[in-house]
Amino acid sequence: MDRSKIKRAAELIRTSKYGVAFTGAGISVESGIPTFRGDGGLWSSVDPNYFEIEYFKKKPFQSWQKIKEIFYDKFVDVQPNISHKILSAMGNRGFIESVITQNIDHLHQVAGSKFVYELHGTYKQLVCTECSTEFDMSFADMSFLPPTCYVCKGVLKPDIVFFNEPIPKFALSRSIAEADKSDVMLIIGTNAEVYPANTIPVKAKDSGATLIEININKSGYSDTITDIFIEGKASEVMEEIGRLLYL
Ligand code: NAD
Ligand code: ZN
């Protein structure tokens, strides 16, 4: 870990007027949730087709079986890690205004972050494919797949963005507005490959924000728009930033 870079990053966050965090799957790795791409990533063992919207519509049972196994059975025991907690503390102390995330695991909210914009939706909520009624997942009966709607008996879909589905309008417009207002953006654990989420840091940069990036590897941002690239595990770097900010 490059301590001088971490010090500069902490100082920038401390003196920022409108800090915003942008997170990807890398921040949740140390909570035990694998990434999708890369070594040990989910796509090396699971066919991404299960997350394609037309496939889901045609074969909801098969799709749900996989989704339940990957997310719903596993997420029960998953807890936020120190990175989620430091971001939450940063929000409470006014160092950041919001968290924009590509994650669907709800861990920022569990850690206490109040303003979280979920670009790819959340596993916590299910939505009816027929009447669009939304349910908290705790209401769904997962012992019979696919779970069905209490109102119309339609198939329920996890409220996550499948391949070939658009991004939720509210989350996208809020994220763009946050990026436009930001003067510092803290990017954690994303490889900048998923469009249009990957355009958010570019918008922040265009609006004059300084970009700080934390990742174990370089991403598509690192040698292009990132101002301070800190190579390292999110937990280790964030713990140090938290210490420097007295969090
Ligand atoms: P990705 O899986 O494509 O990339 C993850 C990034 O995290 C990589 O750049 C990797 O180098 C980095 N990383 C891995 N471990 C790290 C660590 N300990 N500390 C810091 N960085 C680390 O993820 P993505 O770019 O976010 O895109 C995949 C999409 O899949 C996301 O948009 C998201 O919707 C979804 N997804 C969500 C979850 C989740 O909710 N936790 C998990 C996997 C995938
Ligand atoms: Zn319904």
Side-chain angles (χ1 to χ4, degrees):
M1 275 194 312
D2 186 333
R3 285 185 195 280
S4 67
K5 283 188 181 176
I6 295 180
K7 233 173 158 178
R8 261 172 69 210
E11 192 52 20
L12 272 166
I13 293 165
R14 196 183 63 77
T15 54
S16 68
K17 293 199 168 55
Y18 206 99
V20 171
F22 179 77
T23 66
I27 196 173
S28 295
V29 165
E30 291 164 88
S31 289
I33 305 175
T35 60
F36 277 179
R37 296 177 184 75
D39 291 345
L42 205 58
W43 295 154
S44 53
S45 56
V46 177
D47 184 351
N49 242 331
Y50 291 112
F51 296 89
E52 205 279 319
I53 191 64
E54 291 309 320
Y55 181 91
F56 178 85
K57 283 181 189 162
K58 269 186 227 134
K59 299 191 173 178
F61 174 73
Q62 283 85 341
S63 200
W64 256 111
Q65 260 188 327
K66 250 322 177 227
I67 292 167
K68 179 172 177 287
E69 182 191 315
I70 294 168
F71 294 131
Y72 290 84
D73 294 347
K74 290 212 180 114
F75 281 9
V76 178
D77 302 323
V78 165
Q79 295 299 328
N81 63 54
I82 182 124
S83 302
H84 299 101
K85 290 177 189 164
I86 297 279
L87 282 184
S88 166
M90 279 184 182
N92 288 339
R93 292 276 297 278
F95 293 131
I96 58 168
E97 306 298 323
S98 61
V99 179
I100 302 168
T101 188
Q102 300 165 84
N103 296 342
I104 57 158
D105 55 30
H106 201 66
L107 290 181
H108 288 299
Q109 290 93 331
V110 177
S113 285
K114 292 185 184 70
F115 298 99
V116 182
Y117 302 109
E118 296 169 308
L119 287 169
H120 295 157
T122 174
Y123 88 106
K124 276 281 288 173
Q125 195 163 283
L126 307 178
V127 59
C128 176
T129 51
E130 299 290 331
C131 73
S132 303
T133 304
E134 291 166 355
F135 299 90
D136 186 90
M137 59 164 276
S138 55
F139 288 100
D141 181 357
M142 297 273 186
S143 51
F144 296 98
L145 296 178
T148 49
C149 174
Y150 293 109
V151 179
C152 77
K153 306 270 191 292
V155 169
L156 294 177
K157 174 187 161 300
D159 207 2
I160 59 179
V161 176
F162 278 50
F163 291 119
N164 296 323
E165 261 197 317
I167 293 227
K169 278 201 185 83
F170 176 76
L172 184 60
S173 63
R174 283 303 317 159
S175 300
I176 292 171
E178 292 296 282
D180 282 344
K181 279 193 268 181
S182 67
D183 61 349
V184 168
M185 182 169 272
L186 179 58
I187 304 166
I188 308 172
T190 178
N191 54 21
E193 280 179 22
V194 183
Y195 177 85
N198 61 2
T199 62
I200 298 295
V202 181
K203 290 203 187 319
K205 181 80 177 184
D206 287 347
S207 308
T210 304
L211 306 193
I212 302 163
E213 183 185 8
I214 304 169
N215 201 309
I216 51 168
N217 295 312
K218 281 189 174 180
S219 74
Y221 301 129
S222 314
D223 288 328
T224 53
I225 56 171
T226 296
D227 294 289
I228 304 177
F229 177 70
I230 305 170
E231 188 179 327
K233 283 187 178 177
S235 62
E236 289 168 9
V237 179
M238 287 299 284
E239 187 166 15
E240 187 60 13
I241 290 179
R243 203 181 58 75
L244 292 168
L245 294 173
Y246 300 103
L247 296 172

